Each structure stands twice: as structure tokens, then as C-alpha cells.
Amino acid sequence: MASAKPTTGMEGARKRPFWTIQRKDHVTGLIFVAPQFIGIITFVFVPLILVFYYSMHEWNVLAGTFTFVGSENYEELFRDRAMPGVLAATAIFSLGLVVLNISLALLLAVLVNQKLTGMSVFRTLFFSPVVVSVVAWAIVWRFLLQSNGGINGLLYMVGIEGPNWLRLPHTAMISLIVVQTFKSVGLNMVLFLAALQGVPRELHEAARVDGVPPFKQFYRITLPLISPTLMLVSIVTIVGALQVFGQIEVLTQGGPGTSTTVLVYYFYQQAFQFLNFGYGSTLSIILLGIVALLTYAQWQLRRKVVFYEH
Amino acid sequence: MNTKLSPRTQVALYGLLCLLLFPFIFPTWWMITSSIKPISQIFAFPPELFPSRVDFSSYTTAFEFQPFARQYFNSVYISVVVTVLTMLICSLAGYAFARIKFPGANIMFMVVLMGLLVPSEVTLIPLFQMFRAWGLSNTHWPLLLIQTIGASSVFATFIMRQFFITLPLELEEAARIDGLSRLKIFWTIALPLSRPALAAVAIFTFLHSWNSFLEPLVFISSRELFTLPVALVNFTDAYGGEMWNVQLAASTMSAIPVLVVFVIAQRHFIEGLAHTGLKG
Amino acid sequence: MKLFKKSGLAAALYASAALISMNAAMAQDQINLRMLIWSANEDHLRLFNEIADAYKAQNPQVSVTYEAVPYGEFPTTLTTQIAGGNAPDLTWLTETGSFDFIAAGAMFPLTETFRTTEGYELEDYAQASIDSWSQDGELYFYPFSTSPFAVFVNNDLVREAKQKTPAELVAEGTWDWEQAVEIGAAVNAETGKHGIIFRDFDYTGWTRLAPLYTGWDVKLWSEDGKTCMMNAPEMVDAMSFLHDAIFEKKAMPGPGIAADFFAGDAAMTITQISRANLLPTGDDAFEWDLVPLPAGPIGDYGYVGAAGIGVLKASPHAQEAADFLAFFSNKENVTKLARYFPPTRSSVLTPEVLAASNPLLSVEQLTDVVIKGVVEGRSAAGHTNYEQIVQNVRASLDSLWVPDADVAQVLQATCDNLNPLLQR
């Protein structure tokens, strides 16, 4: 960037202005980013430090006591009989969601990408659940998944007796994964669609001329070329999966038993239902650790999996 | 992609698409039709696809039971305010990070990016305490502030920065030589050009705010201040029993307007998303 | 001229200063009390506001507002308000929810205020109700509503299944749980509708089963609250009976089936009498009846769901709030409140008073079910960390609601999971 300081060699003769263009620029830059920066410090960094601080205290909100207990909350975490189940539920839910969501999104994107009339209608309809309120979507599904609700009603009409979806551990988890997938897959579909449309047609033409079957084309040409998007969408989806709360609160409240009590739900119970702020803070730290770990791992994998043209 | 598909493949394709479409639109259909069924018919077995008797009382009950209109308004105004403010603040920040060399820019950008890593739940307890200390519990201020400049706004800043980097330098250089201030350049040149990215930011921000459930649940305890998602789960009678028909009516009322707006503006929605530069 | 102006100005200044300070003084004395409640019913609110206005007429500086919050998470919401520095002055709480608050010392003692309020007559209250809301001889909540559980019956369905109605069985003296289940099973077999519904139980709210297992003399935990007693024979028997009724006899709708007695889906429902306003009229009406709870192995018994109103110590106007509460709960107002909230004041708990407010119920029903229930009914045992306990047990009991569950084993596991929590 060119500096606009005049260099006439006669600096001694006149006062150098304080507000040079460069300085003005610096200040402008700082002012522009100030709101965002201050926001992040105040609402992300300071709370982060506080969370660590809280996690080392025993805190009874009703009695108003706040006592330092060091690492006791963390020890309790290890002794907590519920934790293995919570971690398992979290893993199952997140992985299931990512796998189902991404494969479905890819499938839909490929289908909708075909040059046929009415594809934009399908695209819109697949995307529509994304804009509906999370809670509204979950309420309708809870209603549908009742033992005598719409889903089982439809199954009944083809002669199948549907299970009690939300009351049995395995079907409850499957229901959660499916409901969440249908809610958010439209978004990923659109992102994949954009990526697919970025694949040069000539490559496919050339492959077709060479007699390469469509599936192999997909494998060898399409997938590598959209791998950056795949990677990014995976990260976003899995981090999102770790934060799904609304569906669980409405559909299963963590049940049956504790089979759908994922980490973020367990955190909510401890922190805001039982008001164990100290222990809740400890759980937050664990959640943060998992997200950081996953993001880092995926970022490292980027080298190996993502294909770059250059 | 192949341009010529045999008629058989085309039919198969349409068939597959319609089949897949089912779980996306059946819930909405069921929600609307059940909300106007009398309560005794809601769980009729075998289920009725079309209501045999129509009963709109659940809609009026929704408004009587809770200050539903007010809650609806709450969600709308919060989402709109947050979206507009975010667009402004994050495009300014994104532009600065992309175009202005100022001391500490890189470090500050790293700090801001950290916000992407931190899930909102992690900071919830301290934020709750902070707002309590400021006397802002049970107000809309926590929602407005956190959603506008907290962790969730970092994505917007990131998108804007990525976009501004792609703008040709010559445009701005010419303007600078003409003596235009940064602000003017931003406002009259850079921002108008960034429409696709801004659209994406607006959509993401609005949806995120509209859908947020955990924060309003935690920060707000008075009915009149509830947002829609929290209001929807509170349609239970005095002892906690479900009021299915009212819940469905309320859900319908909250979903339909957004769906209608979406259908009308869907081209912008989807194209804006495609421009997020998420391609990598 | 100047002097006149000066004196005029001065006078004006003094006058306005006086006015301002008077207003300020009055404003300083202005007390706004907030009571947290869970009823959003308009009729209830109208009555509460009447009482508040009457109090204001005598005490102009005190205003009272009522804030309604959903019942489901009431203790949590209240605690969150307290944690958020936004505590109300007065609050409703159930007998189980109040435990934590009393134990934490969060409630303002009421005995003194009630004793010294003229004409209050603390002795008018049934002693049992006072005891259940006191700790170490100090009263912390006024027994606001003691609502007995009873059985609403759909006689149309019962007759359709060719069964004797519960009312007939009561007259014969043979009305017990076995009989109730028989009727339920028959209704299900004959009409396809459901037998018995424990309202708001839905296979998650296990505490709504208390009207049943109390009949087996079940204790959930030991006197000192440290040991789980749900694996004791009493509970095992009660739950086996229930499990059998659901899965073998099909006298109750199974898990995940949404059914509503008041929509005509079932023969009987166990709930509080206040639900009478849900009975349908017009086309959907059916012939209904109200009978006491069936007898259990311990014989006849009653069960009540109690709610109280207390003052929070955290309130800056705790004493004023207590004074208002004394007014709210005096004989005159309790008589008005009895329309919706069964009182434990013996002078008010009469069929005549109750009849005025419960037009749907007959005098016999009022006497046999309501009054008897209020006076003799047992209620739930509280515990600290109640919310967490309920959640913990609920998760364990989920394994019980399958056809081939081993009741004793599930209850043993329940206690294993619960004991660490009780012993904290």
C-alpha cells in the first residue's frame, strides 16, 4: 500500500502532520473491527475464562454458597456413572447424523442437479424444513411418532405394526437422527449443489467419450473435485451435531432411560434444571475439548483427503 | 453432467425424488391438517389424512393461553434487529480485515476466529451470571447482544472477509487516489458489490436467531418476553399436560409465514448460500 | 420588584421542592410485590387481583402483581429467577418442590406474622397440613391448595362393557384396585377404548402413580432420606400389580399411546378433582361420575396434591409480603379461594362452601371425595434435590415399561442408581 507521506526533503521546514493517511487508516481499521472484536472478547473470551474458574467451585444457588474445591468437579466427572453413557450417546448421535446427513445431501444434490424440468421446485421443497422453527419441526414429529400417531398409522395401512418409536432406546435414537437429518439436510444439499456445479462439464464429457461408467465418473472425478466442500461441510455438520438440543428436549428429554442424553443435554440438565453451576461448567469444558479435538483432527485430515487442482 | 437421459431413467428419477420428498413435506401437511381437527380426532386410528370435522378453536386458544402475538413479535423483531446489526458490524469488520493494514490486525483476526470453535453452550453459564450482574436478566438484551457480536457472528465476519478479498484492488485504489475516505469507499463501492455475500450473511443470521432455543430458554422467564421456540413448548395445561391441538396450531402459525416468505424469495436464499465461498 | 420576584420565586421553589420530596417520600414507600404462580386461568387471576385490590384499599402503598410461569418446570424457573437476581417476593410451590427451598433457608418464617395478625386464627387449619409445611416448628408456607385425587368415571363405557359401575361398588363396599383393573380390562376388551388413565403419567411422570402406590403403603426413601426404599416388597408388589394391569390385563393404555379420558377415550382417570372443568358438554358429553380412590392392601385411603404459598427471604420486602400473605389467607379470602383451591381451614371446608364453587359435583361427592380426601389424604414426601431425584428415577424406571420386565430387578437397579444421589 502506497504511503502518501510527502517527501519533499523539506520536512524540517514545515510541521509533519500527525494524522498521516497511514495513521488515519490504522485508526479506521481499528474502529471498523472494534465492535466485533470487543464482542468476542466480552462474550466469548471472558466467559471462557470464567467457565474454567466456575468449574473449580461448588456452587449452591439457593443457599448462595460458592466454595473453591479445586479439581473435585473433574474427579466427580470421572466417577459419574452417567458419563460413559452420555459420551456413547453423543458419539452415536453425532456419527449417525453426519453419515446420514452427508450421504443424503450428496444424493439429493446429484439428483436435483439433473437437467430436468421442475428441479427448482424439488430443491425448494427439500430445503423448506431448514427455515421452519426447530421446535415446531420437533413438535410435529413427536406427534407423528406417537405409538398411535401418523407414522404408525401409515405403516398400519400397509400392514406393518410400527414400534413405539420414542419409548424404546434404539428406535428413539434412530428417530432423533432421522428427524434432525430431515431438518438440516436441505442446507448441505444446497452447498453440495453449488460445488457440483463448479465441476467443469468437459471432464465428464471426456470421460463419457472414453466410456467411463457414471458411477466411476462420480468416484474419480466428481468426489475429488468437491472434496474441499465435503470437508468443510463435514466439520460444520459434526460440530453442529454436538450442539443439537431443541429436538432432544422436545422429542425424548434424554430418554428412554438415558439413551438419548447427549453431552449438551446432560449439561443443560445439570446446569439449568438442577442448577449445579459448578458441575455444569465442568461439562462445558469437556464439550469444548471435544469440539476442539474434532476440528483439529479434521483440519489435519485435510491434507490427506482434500484434492486440489493446483 | 449428462444432458440426455432416457425416458425410463427420467421417470425413475422423478419417482425417486417424489419418494424422497415424502418425509420433507408430510410433517408439514400433518401439522396443518391436525391443527384444525377436533381434539378427539387427532389420534384417531386409523388416521385421517383429511380432517373429517374442522375445528378452528385451537387457533383462538393459542392466543388466549399465552400472549402468543407478543411472543411472535418478539421473535420477529429480535431476528430482524440482530440480522441488520450483524450485517453492518460484520461487513465493516470483514472489510477491515480484508483490506486495511493496521497494527495487530492478524492477531485480532485470529482471536475473532476462535469464536468459531467455541460452542455457545460452553459460555452459557458465565454469560448468565454476567447479565445478571448487569441487571439484564429476563430481558431481551442478552439475546440481542450475544447473537449480534458473540460467537455466532464470527461466521458472518469470515464470509464477508473472504468476499472482500476477492474484490479487485484497482477499484479501491482509484477511489483512494481520488481522496475518498475508507468509510466512503466501503459504503459506496465495496458494500454494494458484496450483495451475494451479504445475502448469505443475512440468511444465516436470521435463521440462526429465529431458530435459537437454548439461549431464550435460559435467559428469559416471563411469558411476555418468550420467543417463538420457547413459547411453542409451553402450551401445556396447568398441570403440565399436552395441549396437542393448540401446539400444532401455534406451530403452523409460526412455520407458514416463514415458509411463504421463503418460497417467494427462494432464489435469493439458495443463490446467496451458494456464494458463501464455502467451496473452499 | 426584585424582592417580590425573589420571594415569589423562592416560594415557588420551596413549594415545588416540598411537592417533589413528598412525592419522593410516597414513591419510596411504594412497595410492589410479585407472586410467582403457575395458573394462567383467567378466573383464578381475577380472584387474585380482587384480593390484591382489597388489600391495597387498606394498605395503599402496597401493590401486588402475579406472574404466571408453566407448571412443568416451576421449581427450576423459580430457582433460575433467584439465581438471576430476579427473585419474586412470594411464590407457589408443591409440597415436594418446597423441600429444597426450606432446607436451603430460602424461605421467610411465617408463624409469627400469622399468629400476630388480628382475627387470623391459625388453629383453624388442620394440624396435619400445618405440619407438612413446617420445619422445626416453624411454618414456611401457607397451605394454599390441598386437592384430593379421585377417580372420574365414564359410566357409558362401563355399562357398555357390562360391568358394575364404581359407584355401585362403592355402595357395596367392594371398590378396590383389583375391581378397578377388572373394569378397565373389560372396557378395553369389549369396546376397544382404554381402561384406566393416570393423568399426566404418560410413562414418564412416575410421581403421578403415587395415588396408586400409596395404597400399598410405599415409602420412597427412609425417614432420614438417605436410603432408597423403592426396592422394598411394598413397592415391588405395587409395581407388579401395575405392570400386570398394563401388559397382561391391558387395563391401561401402553407406553406411547396418547389418550385422554376427557375426550372419551377411557373408562376411568385418576386425577385431581379440579379437572372437573375439562368434562365435555354437548355432542361429546358422556355420563360421568366421581368416586374416591379405590382401596388398596392397606384399606381405604386418600391422596392429595398440595400446594403452598411462601415468602422468599431474598425479597427486600419480606415482612410486607408476609403481611400480605396473612391477608390473602385469612378466613374471608380463603372462603373465596375455596371456589378453586380446596382449603384446610376447617371452618371453610364444608359442603355448602364447596358446593358454591363446584357446581358440577353433588353434595355426596363433595363430602365423600373432596372433604374426606382433604382431611385424610396422604401426600408426597419431599427431599432436597427433588428435581434431580425425579429425573434419576424416571430414567431407571424406563426399563419397567416393557412387557417382559423383571419388576424386582428394575426396582433394585433404580435404588442402586438413586442411592448415591440420596447420600450426597
Side-chain angles (χ1 to χ4, degrees):
Chain A
M1 274 253 266
S3 158
K5 254 202 284 198
T7 45
T8 59
M10 286 170 57
E11 282 88 297
R14 58 190 177 119
K15 265 210 300 206
R16 202 179 301 170
F18 182 75
W19 287 115
T20 59
I21 295 191
Q22 199 177 46
R23 280 226 179 90
K24 270 196 218 171
D25 225 25
H26 289 177
V27 173
T28 312
L30 284 167
I31 293 178
F32 275 19
V33 303
Q36 172 78 102
F37 187 71
I38 294 175
I40 295 297
I41 297 288
T42 320
F43 297 119
V44 178
F45 271 89
V46 169
L48 214 51
I49 298 172
L50 283 175
V51 157
F52 271 107
Y53 178 63
Y54 292 160
S55 71
M56 297 195 283
H57 286 77
E58 175 66 46
W59 192 348
N60 185 330
V61 176
L62 270 186
T65 57
F66 186 69
T67 36
F68 181 75
V69 292
S71 59
E72 207 178 278
N73 281 333
Y74 291 91
E75 287 163 31
E76 193 182 319
L77 195 75
F78 277 107
R79 281 180 285 137
D80 191 349
R81 290 165 114 224
M83 269 319 272
V86 167
L87 290 173
T90 311
I92 296 174
F93 178 71
S94 308
L95 283 173
L97 182 62
V98 166
V99 167
L100 186 62
N101 191 322
I102 297 206
S103 13
L104 188 61
L106 208 50
L107 174 67
L108 289 176
V110 167
L111 288 176
V112 171
N113 199 26
Q114 304 298 319
K115 299 273 175 294
L116 290 175
T117 46
M119 281 307 147
S120 64
V121 173
F122 280 107
R123 189 187 59 181
T124 308
L125 289 174
F126 285 131
F127 190 81
S128 56
V130 177
V131 305
V132 170
S133 151
V134 163
V135 173
W137 184 253
I139 285 179
V140 178
W141 275 99
R142 179 168 66 167
F143 176 62
L144 284 171
L145 289 169
Q146 292 289 301
S147 181
N148 54 345
I151 299 288
N152 281 351
L154 285 172
L155 290 174
Y156 181 76
M157 294 203 287
V158 292
I160 307 177
E161 191 182 323
N164 199 340
W165 296 99
L166 297 174
R167 302 297 182 133
L168 300 171
H170 298 298
T171 55
M173 180 57 90
I174 293 173
S175 306
L176 273 182
I177 294 176
V178 168
V179 171
Q180 178 62 18
T181 301
F182 285 128
K183 172 87 177 63
S184 54
V185 73
L187 194 62
N188 287 349
M189 173 194 78
V190 165
L191 295 171
F192 282 143
L193 202 55
L196 283 175
Q197 286 169 353
V199 175
R201 208 176 298 173
E202 303 82 56
L203 288 173
H204 283 290
E205 277 302 310
R208 200 168 61 86
V209 163
D210 281 348
V212 180
F215 274 124
K216 216 168 181 177
Q217 282 184 36
F218 187 74
Y219 233 52
R220 288 304 191 83
I221 303 177
T222 320
L223 271 186
L225 283 176
I226 63 170
S227 53
T229 309
L230 255 178
M231 177 100 276
L232 218 50
V233 167
S234 303
I235 297 182
V236 171
T237 306
I238 205 169
V239 171
L242 286 168
Q243 297 180 49
V244 169
F245 171 76
Q247 258 83 332
I248 302 180
E249 167 68 5
V250 172
L251 286 170
T252 61
Q253 295 98 50
T258 50
S259 57
T260 59
T261 304
V262 300
L263 189 56
V264 83
Y265 194 79
Y266 190 56
F267 157 78
Y268 171 74
Q269 282 180 332
Q270 289 296 323
F272 293 101
Q273 274 187 352
F274 312 143
L275 288 127
N276 294 335
F277 278 173
Y279 193 58
S281 300
T282 316
L283 290 170
S284 311
I285 302 289
I286 302 296
L287 184 63
L288 180 64
I290 294 179
V291 170
L293 210 67
L294 275 171
T295 313
Y296 179 72
Q298 291 202 284
W299 195 252
Q300 292 301 94
L301 236 71
R302 194 184 156 99
R303 299 279 152 71
K304 305 227 183 95
V305 171
V306 172
F307 172 89
Y308 281 108
E309 257 184 28
H310 11 273
Chain B
M1 296 304 258
N2 304 358
T3 45
K4 274 197 258 187
L5 286 171
S6 70
R8 216 163 13 136
T9 325
Q10 285 191 28
V11 168
L13 202 59
Y14 276 117
L16 182 59
L17 279 170
C18 286
L19 196 65
L20 285 170
L21 204 54
F22 188 68
F24 291 86
I25 52 178
F26 180 63
T28 313
W29 173 258
W30 199 254
M31 171 178 74
I32 301 174
T33 53
S34 296
S35 68
I36 53 177
K37 285 181 190 163
I39 194 166
S40 51
Q41 288 302 106
I42 289 186
F43 285 107
F45 208 77
E48 311 178 321
L49 278 178
F50 289 90
S52 54
R53 272 192 291 161
V54 171
D55 180 1
F56 284 96
S57 64
S58 53
Y59 282 85
T60 42
T61 314
F63 286 99
E64 288 163 2
F65 188 74
Q66 287 196 88
F68 191 63
R70 173 83 192 267
Q71 291 158 340
Y72 209 111
F73 174 72
N74 289 339
S75 263
V76 172
Y77 101 78
I78 290 178
S79 301
V80 169
V81 168
V82 167
T83 303
V84 170
L85 284 179
T86 302
M87 282 165 74
L88 188 63
I89 293 177
C90 295
S91 54
L92 275 171
Y95 178 75
F97 281 127
R99 279 281 177 269
I100 307 181
K101 285 189 177 37
F102 56 93
N106 281 332
I107 300 178
M108 288 175 93
F109 188 56
M110 287 279 107
V111 167
V112 168
L113 272 192
M114 293 293 207
L116 277 177
L117 269 186
V118 180
S120 54
E121 294 84 7
V122 173
T123 50
L124 205 51
I125 298 178
L127 286 173
F128 182 74
Q129 288 300 110
M130 279 164 68
F131 281 99
R132 176 183 81 97
W134 296 333
L136 295 176
S137 302
N138 203 30
T139 64
H140 285 153
W141 283 105
L143 302 178
L144 289 167
L145 287 171
I146 296 175
Q147 286 172 8
T148 307
I149 49 179
S152 44
S153 64
V154 175
F155 194 56
T157 305
F158 183 71
I159 291 180
M160 295 312 294
R161 176 187 183 264
Q162 297 302 96
F163 178 83
F164 283 128
I165 286 183
T166 67
L167 278 186
L169 270 168
E170 303 82 54
L171 285 172
E172 296 175 53
E173 287 296 304
R176 293 210 80 198
I177 291 174
D178 282 348
L180 278 168
S181 72
R182 276 292 185 191
L183 190 60
K184 263 234 167 66
I185 296 178
F186 169 77
W187 195 253
T188 56
I189 301 179
L191 200 59
L193 284 175
S194 65
R195 230 170 253 155
L198 263 183
V201 164
I203 293 162
F204 269 118
T205 312
F206 186 85
L207 285 180
H208 184 263
S209 175
W210 180 257
N211 274 331
S212 82
F213 179 55
L214 188 53
E215 283 97 350
L217 191 64
V218 165
F219 285 109
I220 299 182
S221 49
S222 302
R223 265 177 210 240
E224 316 81 57
L225 296 176
F226 281 170
T227 56
L228 269 183
V230 181
L232 286 176
V233 296
N234 277 311
F235 281 106
T236 52
D237 66 22
Y239 298 90
E242 305 289 350
M243 297 163 64
W244 288 110
N245 56 343
V246 182
Q247 279 186 13
L248 289 170
S251 302
T252 305
M253 284 191 276
S254 66
I256 296 301
V258 183
L259 276 174
V260 167
V261 167
F262 167 66
V263 167
I264 295 174
Q266 49 122 333
R267 198 165 59 86
H268 298 284
F269 261 66
I270 294 180
E271 281 177 16
L273 278 176
H275 275 96
T276 56
L278 269 188
K279 295 188 229 170
Chain C
M1 261 325 213
K2 264 198 198 161
L3 253 141
F4 174 79
K5 266 200 185 153
K6 244 208 219 159
S7 60
L9 198 57
L13 277 173
Y14 274 121
S16 40
L19 266 171
I20 291 174
S21 59
M22 246 169 60
N23 267 323
M26 268 171 48
Q28 266 168 15
D29 284 338
Q30 188 56 236
I31 297 177
N32 293 317
L33 297 175
R34 179 167 58 100
M35 185 191 287
L36 202 65
I37 69 178
W38 60 66
S39 168
N41 185 302
E42 275 182 26
D43 297 324
H44 296 176
L45 279 171
R46 205 174 305 130
L47 185 52
F48 297 151
N49 282 321
E50 268 175 38
I51 298 179
D53 292 338
Y55 190 70
K56 195 173 170 100
Q58 296 171 16
N59 304 278
Q61 75 278 23
V62 177
S63 306
V64 184
T65 51
Y66 303 93
E67 184 184 327
V69 165
Y71 176 78
E73 305 216 312
F74 194 88
T76 305
T77 311
L78 174 61
T79 315
T80 307
Q81 283 198 1
I82 297 175
N86 193 24
D89 304 283
L90 299 120
T91 183
W92 290 13
L93 271 171
T94 56
E95 73 275 74
T96 46
S98 63
F99 211 87
D100 264 322
F101 290 82
I102 300 179
M107 305 309 297
F108 186 79
L110 298 170
T111 320
E112 168 106 22
T113 310
F114 284 0
R115 278 246 166 75
T116 54
T117 303
E118 210 183 293
Y120 188 77
E121 288 180 41
L122 191 54
E123 321 76 54
D124 194 19
Y125 284 96
Q127 190 56 38
S129 66
I130 295 289
D131 288 340
S132 62
W133 292 103
S134 306
Q135 196 185 65
D136 298 329
E138 182 66 47
L139 182 67
Y140 290 99
F141 283 85
Y142 125 72
F144 164 60
S145 170
T146 313
S147 189
F149 279 79
V151 186
F152 282 93
V153 186
N154 182 334
N155 278 331
D156 285 340
L157 284 179
V158 174
R159 294 222 179 80
E160 204 181 312
K162 309 184 197 49
Q163 297 289 312
K164 280 198 186 160
T165 66
E168 288 163 7
L169 294 175
V170 169
E172 283 175 22
T174 57
W175 172 236
D176 64 13
W177 281 107
E178 309 263 334
Q179 292 291 329
V181 168
E182 286 293 317
I183 297 178
V187 166
N188 186 255
E190 288 288 322
T191 70
K193 301 266 185 173
H194 304 293
I196 308 175
I197 298 180
F198 282 85
R199 193 162 175 94
D200 301 324
F201 161 49
D202 204 29
Y203 294 92
T204 50
W206 62 273
T207 52
R208 317 291 179 148
L209 294 174
L212 171 80
Y213 59 67
T214 307
W216 272 251
D217 208 20
V218 163
K219 302 259 181 302
L220 295 176
W221 38 73
S222 54
E223 277 293 317
D224 62 2
K226 294 264 190 263
T227 320
C228 166
M229 284 175 61
M230 292 177 72
N231 50 358
E234 292 89 356
M235 187 59 155
V236 175
D237 287 341
M239 287 297 116
S240 301
F241 177 79
L242 182 66
H243 189 273
D244 192 63
I246 302 169
F247 294 104
E248 300 296 318
K249 303 230 169 59
K250 308 251 189 285
M252 283 174 56
I257 296 189
D260 183 3
F261 169 84
F262 296 102
D265 294 337
M268 291 169 270
T269 190
I270 319 282
T271 186
Q272 289 172 305
I273 52 157
S274 42
R275 303 305 185 102
N277 62 309
L278 290 172
L279 288 162
T281 52
D283 284 336
D284 295 319
F286 50 80
E287 196 210 309
W288 65 273
D289 196 1
L290 182 71
V291 297
L293 291 176
I298 60 169
D300 282 322
Y301 67 98
Y303 188 79
V304 297
I309 307 185
V311 173
L312 288 161
K313 225 190 247 179
S315 161
H317 306 294
Q319 185 57 56
E320 288 85 351
D323 292 332
F324 172 67
L325 193 56
F327 175 76
F328 191 93
S329 58
N330 67 20
K331 219 185 277 189
E332 192 189 323
N333 285 325
V334 166
T335 311
K336 288 188 202 154
L337 288 165
R339 162 179 272 128
Y340 309 110
F341 306 105
T344 56
R345 273 187 178 273
S346 349
S347 60
V348 181
L349 198 60
T350 61
E352 298 76 39
V353 173
L354 293 181
S357 47
N358 282 292
L360 289 170
L361 303 176
S362 70
V363 175
E364 293 84 50
Q365 287 169 333
L366 286 169
T367 316
D368 298 335
V369 182
V370 181
I371 296 180
K372 192 146 177 275
V374 171
V375 173
E376 296 177 7
R378 303 166 177 228
S379 63
H383 200 286
T384 51
N385 282 322
Y386 192 69
E387 297 294 305
Q388 210 162 345
I389 291 174
V390 170
Q391 177 63 22
N392 181 300
V393 172
R394 176 190 139 164
S396 306
L397 286 182
D398 270 336
S399 333
L400 191 54
W401 315 124
V402 288
D404 48 0
D406 179 337
V407 178
Q409 201 179 56
V410 171
L411 288 173
Q412 182 57 48
T414 307
C415 269
D416 291 339
N417 285 332
L418 184 59
N419 274 321
L421 195 56
L422 291 178
Q423 275 146 18
R424 272 227 204 127

